[in-house]
Amino acid sequence: MADRSGYQKRRQKMSERVYIKDVAGKIGTEVKLQGFADNIRNSKSMLFIVLKDITGKVQITLEKEKAPELAEQLEAVTNDSVLTVIGQVAENEYVKLGGIEIIPKEISVESVAEALPIARKEIPASKKKKAVERSSIDQRIDYRWIDLRTEENQLMFQVQTTLVNAMRQYLLKENFIEIHTPKLIGAASESGADVFQVEYFDRKAYLAQSPQFYKQMAMASGFERIFEVGPVFRAEKSFTSKHTTEFTGFDLEFSYIDSFRDVMRMEENLLRAGLEAVQERHGEQIKELFGMEVIVPDTPFPVVTLKELYRGLEQEFGYTVEESEKGDLTTDAERLSFEWVKKHYGHEFLFVTDYSAQKRAFYHMRDENGVPQGYDLVWRGVEITTGAQREHRWEVLKKQAEEKGLAEDVKFYLEFFRYGCPPHGGFGIGVDRLTMLLMGLTIKDAMFLFRGPNRLTP
């Protein structure tokens, strides 16, 4: 019983941890803090440790003469070691971190860190030390768990959490339901290309390029309004600053629409809700740490046809492409479109419509002239969405699949439309690409763990 009582006391003690963000309200009281040693300054008479947890930083101030045993114990502590600190919260106007310090009574070293194998940030030269260059992004990904300890990276994922949650809450208010579709599929989705093939017992399977087919199955099921947040796989050997072989997609689909413009309205309202929440909660921190302004967009977003955009880019920038390329948006045209839309609309977003049927998926509805009823959404010069009204009529959809040579591959999908299906449409957004653009980063920096043609670890 004595052992159990001691265990319960230790458990109670552990549960009393205080986050650093809350210490300002606890002046004169004893608190327990836990986190990483972010910086250590050790002099003959004093030891200063900046302790960092997910909410902030605080200075631990130790006068060695007053606590010689504690000072001796901490001689071996290194940067990034993990500590539990119990001490008094005191005001000190000379302390740069909010004028507050912790006078420690007890410090437990939970884990001692070895010398770090990467430099997370550039360190300028001082009188005593040479400058240290920041490690390359690929070196930092090799030790991503260490790289992620920075304020910038931790803020980035707090922002991503706020963004996704705000978009989810918006859709729930709009009567959407959340579903979770399979990522192992029996036939290559969408275009039939750029898929990862895997062994599945005695046959082939593929990793889903998107939840597209199952989102539409949900429409045929009478679900009416659905969304999903989940992994997406693309077997593309792309080595750009915005492509990755696995990312998190935010997808939705909804029924009883009149045109693809209903889909565009849904997307602009969804993004406005997400960015509004980010701006309100994190706008100042993003500006401080990343130098990026979070702008809540006005609605409706500007809309231009692909033909009109190419004409505008030629007039403004002298940018031209071969006639054969004008059915799709080139990467350079995407980039220039940001300057164009800022100049003509004072806006960061641009809907581009009227793409060539050859460049769009077979399941996009087409009008009487064969023009796909869909769009791309470009934000800050980067495409973030392809959306459309889908073709819900079985005989038309079957014909369009045959045109692309996919009728056999998508036979199971075509079955969804034989027994009644409402008119519907939807889109997908890459959560990682949104994060990248919000912070002004590359895709490797913006993901928890990047996956590319040459990267499968850690």
Side-chain angles (χ1 to χ4, degrees):
M1 288 300 291
D3 286 346
R4 183 166 179 80
S5 174
Y7 172 76
Q8 287 174 333
K9 285 179 181 178
R10 287 195 300 274
R11 289 278 294 178
Q12 184 180 5
K13 189 176 181 181
M14 286 296 291
S15 69
E16 294 168 356
R17 180 195 178 195
V18 171
Y19 279 112
I20 288 171
K21 70 177 177 64
D22 297 323
V23 296
K26 297 185 179 293
I27 305 293
T29 66
E30 189 175 275
V31 296
K32 183 173 87 170
L33 305 174
Q34 293 178 301
F36 289 88
D38 191 63
N39 190 28
I40 300 169
R41 286 182 293 136
N42 197 351
S43 67
K44 187 176 180 180
S45 59
M46 300 292 294
L47 176 65
F48 302 98
I49 299 174
V50 174
L51 190 74
K52 177 184 181 299
D53 70 14
I54 193 68
T55 69
K57 298 179 182 181
V58 71
Q59 179 174 296
I60 313 298
T61 304
L62 177 67
E63 290 186 55
K64 292 183 177 181
E65 277 189 5
K66 292 184 177 180
E69 289 182 10
L70 192 53
E72 186 179 347
Q73 176 196 344
L74 295 174
E75 283 297 321
V77 171
T78 55
N79 285 338
D80 281 62
S81 294
V82 179
L83 308 175
T84 296
V85 179
I86 297 173
Q88 192 89 0
V89 183
E91 289 184 288
N92 184 337
E93 61 181 306
Y94 298 106
V95 175
K96 292 179 181 178
L97 290 173
I100 290 172
E101 62 185 353
I102 307 297
I103 310 302
K105 175 183 174 185
E106 181 184 330
I107 298 180
S108 299
V109 182
E110 309 291 355
S111 173
V112 175
E114 295 181 16
L116 299 185
I118 57 169
R120 292 173 292 214
K121 296 183 181 182
E122 180 182 331
I123 303 172
S126 66
K127 290 180 181 179
K128 295 182 179 179
K129 294 181 180 179
K130 292 181 180 179
V132 177
E133 286 187 13
R134 189 186 191 194
S135 298
S136 72
I137 180 59
D138 287 310
Q139 289 173 319
R140 285 183 282 119
I141 292 175
D142 287 339
Y143 296 92
R144 185 61 165 160
W145 63 96
I146 300 172
D147 190 42
L148 288 171
R149 293 174 189 169
T150 65
E151 285 177 274
E152 290 84 354
N153 280 327
Q154 292 181 352
L155 172 63
M156 179 166 61
F157 290 99
Q158 291 165 347
V159 169
Q160 192 177 95
T161 299
T162 297
L163 179 67
V164 172
N165 183 58
M167 294 197 300
R168 178 182 267 116
Q169 293 304 317
Y170 175 82
L171 293 181
L172 292 175
K173 288 175 185 174
E174 293 292 318
N175 299 316
F176 279 72
I177 59 176
E178 185 169 4
I179 64 171
H180 304 283
T181 62
K183 303 309 165 205
L184 279 171
I185 58 176
S189 56
E190 302 215 22
S191 64
D194 298 329
V195 291
F196 289 109
Q197 183 179 304
V198 297
E199 292 181 12
Y200 193 74
F201 303 107
D202 59 345
R203 57 195 184 277
K204 294 176 184 176
Y206 305 89
L207 295 178
Q209 280 178 295
S210 83
Q212 186 57 47
F213 290 173
Y214 295 112
K215 289 195 301 176
Q216 291 186 260
M217 190 184 96
M219 298 301 95
S221 303
F223 280 26
E224 296 197 9
R225 294 182 162 214
I226 64 93
F227 72 96
E228 174 173 15
V229 185
V232 177
F233 302 90
R234 297 283 166 88
E236 297 176 322
K237 281 195 174 180
S238 294
F239 297 90
T240 74
S241 61
K242 61 183 181 180
H243 285 92
T244 178
T245 52
E246 179 184 355
F247 60 90
T248 301
F250 192 111
D251 280 83
L252 64 84
E253 204 79 16
F254 60 112
S255 292
Y256 302 109
I257 66 173
D258 294 320
S259 84
F260 70 96
R261 296 186 185 277
D262 295 334
V263 182
M264 292 161 67
R265 277 194 294 274
M266 180 65 74
E267 181 163 18
E268 62 192 13
N269 289 333
L270 176 71
L271 286 168
R272 180 180 170 85
L275 290 172
E276 205 165 37
V278 168
Q279 201 278 334
E280 183 180 329
R281 188 165 182 180
H282 308 288
E284 288 183 15
Q285 284 179 290
I286 292 172
K287 191 170 183 179
E288 179 187 344
L289 295 180
F290 291 92
M292 297 292 290
E293 191 86 40
V294 180
I295 297 173
V296 179
D298 293 329
T299 54
F301 294 178
V303 183
V304 65
T305 67
L306 187 59
K307 186 177 180 180
E308 289 168 341
L309 180 58
Y310 274 125
R311 189 186 304 130
L313 296 182
E314 184 173 358
Q315 290 170 354
E316 297 282 340
F317 308 106
Y319 178 75
T320 59
V321 295
E322 296 291 330
E323 202 63 37
S324 59
E325 291 188 72
K326 288 188 175 179
D328 203 357
L329 194 60
T330 66
T331 301
D332 286 336
E334 273 182 31
R335 179 177 51 80
L336 289 171
S337 73
F338 185 33
E339 298 304 315
W340 186 85
V341 75
K342 280 195 297 184
K343 179 177 179 179
H344 291 276
Y345 294 92
H347 215 282
E348 294 193 332
F349 288 89
L350 180 65
F351 282 123
V352 185
T353 68
D354 292 31
Y355 284 77
S356 161
Q358 288 182 324
K359 302 295 184 180
R360 300 283 97 168
F362 75 91
Y363 50 78
H364 286 202
M365 182 178 277
R366 302 172 192 170
D367 68 9
E368 61 277 7
N369 299 313
V371 177
Q373 298 300 281
Y375 63 89
D376 276 358
L377 178 58
V378 183
W379 182 34
R380 294 180 172 174
V382 177
E383 178 259 309
I384 59 168
T385 294
T386 295
Q389 177 166 6
R390 320 302 187 186
E391 182 51 73
H392 64 283
R393 297 163 296 183
W394 176 77
E395 66 281 359
V396 179
L397 189 59
K398 183 172 180 290
K399 182 182 175 184
Q400 291 181 182
E402 288 168 350
E403 284 176 14
K404 300 271 188 180
L406 294 170
E408 251 342 277
D409 289 338
V410 298
K411 199 171 181 181
F412 83 98
Y413 162 77
L414 294 173
E415 287 293 301
F416 302 160
F417 303 90
R418 296 186 67 172
Y419 308 100
C421 185
H424 62 276
F427 57 87
I429 311 176
V431 171
D432 308 284
R433 194 172 282 192
L434 283 181
T435 307
M436 173 189 88
L437 292 167
L438 255 177
M439 307 299 188
L441 301 171
T442 68
I443 198 69
K444 286 184 178 182
D445 284 293
M447 298 185 73
F448 183 76
L449 274 176
F450 170 76
R451 287 290 176 260
N454 298 330
R455 172 68 70 175
L456 262 178
T457 57

